[in-house]
């Protein structure tokens, strides 16, 4: 599964072209350059015969809107066990960009009181800003299952596997990625976005819509650093192992410890750090254990 259309081409507006002046040493060139798309998405939810409730507006990279909306509702604890019946975009008769609105249709009425309580303000770089309480977010995620034990060789291979699958990044250099892998290092799904948490929501949403939840036997690999929110969203999806090429925050480490998530950071070359719950990474072949 990929965050691309069926013919392997990124979705419309996912990547755009702009005229630039490129300076390289003593030379100058005027040319077109490929850049990542960014646009607002309004996420709405509605039950049977219920008017859609506005939940959040987030800046995201266009593409995979249904997955992003469903993943956001799942990882923010707003589905409450309800079945997702389907999704729909905005009205093309009244909106110039109907894919900038997505309505998630649910099996039961959506409780709009949850939105008022949570004070959602989401951006591409920070999905947790404006929430009423960090403790509230952490408390509603149940500690996850034991999960698999993964070979060190699999962990070390993940960055290259993720990078090889990032088609849009190759074109723009401006996207984060969230990749879902099996314990043997097989790529299950990959999604990209200008925001780390959006890429993860898209990937989780793809699995919700595929009926694959919870993700107890999966590994998450993300580009960039690991924030509290990345760990929280992974735990909400049941993912036991989170890996990243860069550093975690102290709150991300504390949250991983609390929720039972194995947290791997600075995964580069033949090195990595395990910050929480190291028992899921098989290190028996190494010296220095004691």
């Amino acid at each position: 599964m990929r965050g691309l259309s069926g013919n392997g081409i990124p979705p419309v507006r996912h990547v755009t072209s702009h005229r630039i002046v490129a300076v390289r040493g003593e030379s100058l060139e005027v040319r077109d350059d490929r850049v990542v798309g960014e646009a607002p998405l309004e996420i709405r939810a509605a039950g049977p015969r219920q008017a859609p409730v506005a939940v959040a507006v987030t800046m995201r990279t266009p593409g995979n809107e249904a997955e992003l909306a469903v993943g956001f509702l799942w990882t923010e604890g707003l589905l409450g066990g309800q079945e997702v019946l389907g999704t729909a975009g905005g009205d093309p008769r009244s909106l110039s960009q109907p894919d900038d609105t997505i309505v998630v249709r649910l099996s039961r009425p959506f409780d709009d009181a949850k939105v008022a309580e949570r004070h959602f303000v989401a951006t591409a770089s920070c999905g947790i800003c404006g929430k009423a309480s960090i403790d509230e977010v952490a408390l509603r995620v149940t500690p996850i299952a034991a999960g698999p034990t993964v070979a060190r060789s699999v962990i070390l291979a993940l960055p290259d596997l993720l990078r090889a699958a990032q088609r849009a990044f190759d074109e723009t250099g401006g996207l984060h990625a969230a990749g879902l892998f099996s314990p043997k290092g097989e790529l299950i799904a990959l999604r990209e976005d200008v925001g780390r948490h959006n890429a993860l929501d898209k990937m989780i949403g793809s699995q919700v819509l595929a009926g694959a939840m919870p993700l107890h036997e999966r590994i998450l690999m993300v580009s960039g650093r690991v924030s509290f929110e990345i760990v929280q969203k992974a735990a909400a999806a049941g993912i036991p192992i989170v890996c990243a090429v860069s550093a975690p925050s102290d709150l991300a480490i504390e949250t991983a410890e609390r929720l039972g998530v194995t947290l791997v950071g600075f995964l580069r070359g033949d090195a990595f750090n395990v910050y929480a719950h190291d028992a899921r990474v098989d290190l028996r072949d190494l010296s220095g254990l004691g």
Side-chain angles (χ1 to χ4, degrees), residues 183-259:
K184 294 183 179 180
E186 302 158 323
L187 178 64
I188 306 299
L190 180 139
R191 295 294 183 269
E192 294 173 299
D193 198 274
V194 70
R196 283 182 297 271
H197 72 280
N198 283 344
L200 181 52
D201 276 341
K202 286 179 178 180
M203 190 276 294
I204 291 173
S206 75
Q207 300 306 291
V208 175
L209 294 172
M213 305 298 286
L215 304 175
H216 290 324
E217 294 297 316
R218 298 293 181 242
I219 306 166
L220 172 65
M221 178 71 202
V222 297
S223 59
R225 63 183 178 84
V226 180
S227 64
F228 155 82
E229 187 182 39
I230 295 297
V231 174
Q232 173 258 321
K233 287 179 179 292
I239 301 172
I241 302 173
V242 174
C243 301
V245 297
S246 194
S249 69
D250 60 350
L251 188 55
I253 297 171
E254 293 171 17
T255 305
E257 287 282 7
R258 180 175 181 177
L259 299 180

Side-chain angles (χ1 to χ4, degrees), residues 3-286:
L4 305 173
S5 60
N7 59 7
I9 300 173
V12 176
R13 301 167 63 213
H14 193 69
V15 177
T16 61
S17 181
H18 287 265
R19 177 184 175 277
I20 67 166
V21 177
V23 177
R24 301 292 183 269
E26 299 298 319
S27 66
L28 179 149
E29 179 186 6
V30 178
R31 58 178 172 82
D32 288 337
D33 194 34
R34 304 285 280 171
V35 298
V36 61
E38 184 176 23
L41 176 69
E42 181 178 10
I43 299 171
R44 302 177 180 176
R49 297 176 298 280
Q50 181 186 25
V53 176
V55 179
V57 176
T58 184
M59 298 302 296
R60 98 296 186 193
T61 299
N64 307 109
E65 282 79 16
E67 295 175 352
L68 173 55
V70 171
F72 178 86
L73 294 177
W74 179 285
T75 60
E76 298 300 336
L78 295 173
L79 289 183
Q82 298 189 71
E83 181 182 357
V84 176
L85 301 180
T87 62
D91 186 351
R93 296 169 298 180
S94 59
L95 298 174
S96 61
Q97 296 290 353
D99 58 345
D100 283 349
T101 300
I102 194 79
V103 179
V104 180
R105 300 289 180 182
L106 303 173
S107 58
R108 298 196 304 273
F110 181 76
D111 184 3
D112 58 359
K114 294 181 179 179
V115 179
E117 291 170 0
R118 300 282 293 284
H119 308 295
F120 282 105
V121 177
T123 70
S125 61
C126 178
I128 194 165
C129 304
K131 291 179 183 173
S133 169
I134 288 179
D135 286 341
E136 183 275 329
V137 176
L139 286 172
R140 64 181 168 76
V141 177
T142 303
I144 61 178
T149 300
V150 179
R152 179 170 62 96
S153 59
V154 170
I155 298 294
L156 291 173
L158 293 179
D160 287 342
L161 293 172
L162 186 76
R163 184 68 178 81
Q166 282 191 262
R167 177 188 175 106
F169 184 91
D170 286 341
E171 294 190 49
T172 67
L175 285 173
H176 287 288
L180 191 68
F181 293 86
S182 75
K184 294 183 179 180
E186 302 158 323
L187 178 64
I188 306 299
L190 180 139
R191 295 294 183 269
E192 294 173 299
D193 198 274
V194 70
R196 283 182 297 271
H197 72 280
N198 283 344
L200 181 52
D201 276 341
K202 286 179 178 180
M203 190 276 294
I204 291 173
S206 75
Q207 300 306 291
V208 175
L209 294 172
M213 305 298 286
L215 304 175
H216 290 324
E217 294 297 316
R218 298 293 181 242
I219 306 166
L220 172 65
M221 178 71 202
V222 297
S223 59
R225 63 183 178 84
V226 180
S227 64
F228 155 82
E229 187 182 39
I230 295 297
V231 174
Q232 173 258 321
K233 287 179 179 292
I239 301 172
I241 302 173
V242 174
C243 301
V245 297
S246 194
S249 69
D250 60 350
L251 188 55
I253 297 171
E254 293 171 17
T255 305
E257 287 282 7
R258 180 175 181 177
L259 299 180
V261 175
T262 297
L263 182 56
V264 176
F266 283 114
L267 177 49
R268 303 169 184 175
D270 63 353
F272 58 84
N273 298 335
V274 186
Y275 294 88
H277 298 283
D278 60 272
R280 293 195 186 97
V281 182
D282 189 350
L283 303 174
R284 291 175 298 176
D285 61 325
L286 300 179

